[in-house]
């Protein structure tokens, strides 16, 4: 394969000037490879020619890699020499002390998937939106199972109201029409990731995007009727080619999503409240009882939903309480945790 053909194939994998600029002159003999799946004891990768072997040092940890990462590898040994800087990184904070779980790297668009049933939860969707903004990726709300309810438009209106100019689409994850609906975000070289709780159709949608002939089809499962909860059919994050171009990363269902040190993401999501706060009489207004509070005035007039303000206040407090703070003479980081 010629150099130009190799470059073109890498670009179809998501390679760009951002990554090429990181390659040092002395690394010309190393090969760029993209991490396709992360398992407890091994990694799988893909390069310009297709699936390829990948090895990490004995003292390395697979948890330090994310699906979508770009690495430079020695073509003779398949050994990872180094991981390139990420353009975006999706990660979630876990309940464990300083817990942090990598979800996906170098994602252009995050499809936040929920269904038109009891799974639909504005508070949870807001947490996913905060995750997207902190990562630097663009969110899209994907509503599935609209055929199971007569109130699909109501779910759509609730989703649109979560953030200004938020793209929201309704689709049947099993239908080929889903490919056309999501096509604006699935072009050649583009990478999308799917997040959402179990049972909302993420794996089904991955299979639809990848095509029925995909060798890496995801398992799908059923949901409980009384609460629309599903079982975790995806157990490892993985990268799949989208029929016609692009790449999609599926992730295991996430039932609990904590927020920590995400002020920027909260401000982006709740831009309407941030704008109102600037009009308050007092700069340190808590938006609870102060006179001249523009936020409370907006609630009283119906301009701002009181429940939305309550969720904003809870997220701000949770982020503050779970953010590591430096304490002690050695600057040790301690996380104060609360249950939510």
């Amino acid at each position: 394969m010629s150099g130009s053909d190799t470059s073109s194939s890498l670009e179809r994998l998501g390679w760009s000037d951002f990554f090429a600029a990181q390659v040092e002159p002395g690394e010309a003999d190393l090969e760029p490879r993209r991490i396709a799946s992360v398992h407890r004891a091994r990694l799988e990768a893909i390069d310009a020619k297709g699936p390829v072997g990948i090895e990490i040092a004995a003292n390395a940890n697979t948890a330090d890699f994310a699906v979508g990462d770009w690495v430079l590898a020695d073509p003779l040994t398949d050994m990872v020499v180094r991981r390139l800087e990420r353009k975006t990184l999706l990660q979630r904070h876990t309940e464990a002390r300083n817990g942090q779980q990598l979800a996906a790297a170098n994602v252009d668009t995050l499809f936040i998937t929920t269904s038109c049933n009891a799974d639909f939860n504005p508070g949870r969707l807001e947490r996913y939106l905060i995750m997207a903004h902190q990562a630097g990726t663009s969110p899209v709300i994907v509503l599935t199972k609209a055929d199971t309810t007569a109130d699909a438009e109501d779910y759509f209106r609730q989703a649109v109201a979560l953030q200004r100019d938020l793209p929201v689409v309704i689709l049947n994850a099993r239908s080929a029409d889903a490919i056309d609906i999501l096509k604006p975000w699935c072009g050649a070289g583009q990478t999308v990731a799917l997040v959402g709780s179990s049972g909302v159709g993420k794996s089904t949608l991955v299979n639809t995007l990848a095509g029925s002939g995909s060798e890496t089809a995801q398992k799908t499962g059923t949901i409980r009727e009384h609460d629309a909860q599903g079982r975790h059919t995806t157990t490892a994050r993985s990268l799949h080619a989208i029929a016609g171009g692009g790449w999609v990363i599926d992730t295991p269902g996430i039932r609990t999503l904590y927020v920590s040190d995400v002020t920027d993401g909260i401000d982006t999501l709740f831009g309407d409240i941030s704008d109102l706060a600037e009009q308050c009489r007092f700069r340190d207004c808590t938006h609870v009882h102060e006179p001249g509070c523009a936020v409370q005035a907006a609630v009283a007039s119906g301009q701002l939903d009181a429940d939305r303000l309550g969720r904003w206040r809870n997220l701000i407090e949770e982020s503050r309480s779970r953010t590591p703070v430096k304490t002690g003479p050695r600057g040790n980081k301690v996380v104060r945790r609360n249950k939510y």
Side-chain angles (χ1 to χ4, degrees), residues 127-142:
R127 290 168 182 267
Y128 282 123
L129 288 167
I130 291 170
M131 172 194 280
H133 294 310
Q134 284 296 119
T137 188
S138 301
V140 175
I141 299 291
V142 178

Side-chain angles (χ1 to χ4, degrees), residues 189-209:
Q190 294 293 300
T191 301
V192 301
L194 277 73
V195 295
S197 54
S198 301
V200 298
K202 297 192 311 298
S203 295
T204 299
L205 186 54
V206 169
N207 292 340
T208 298
L209 291 174

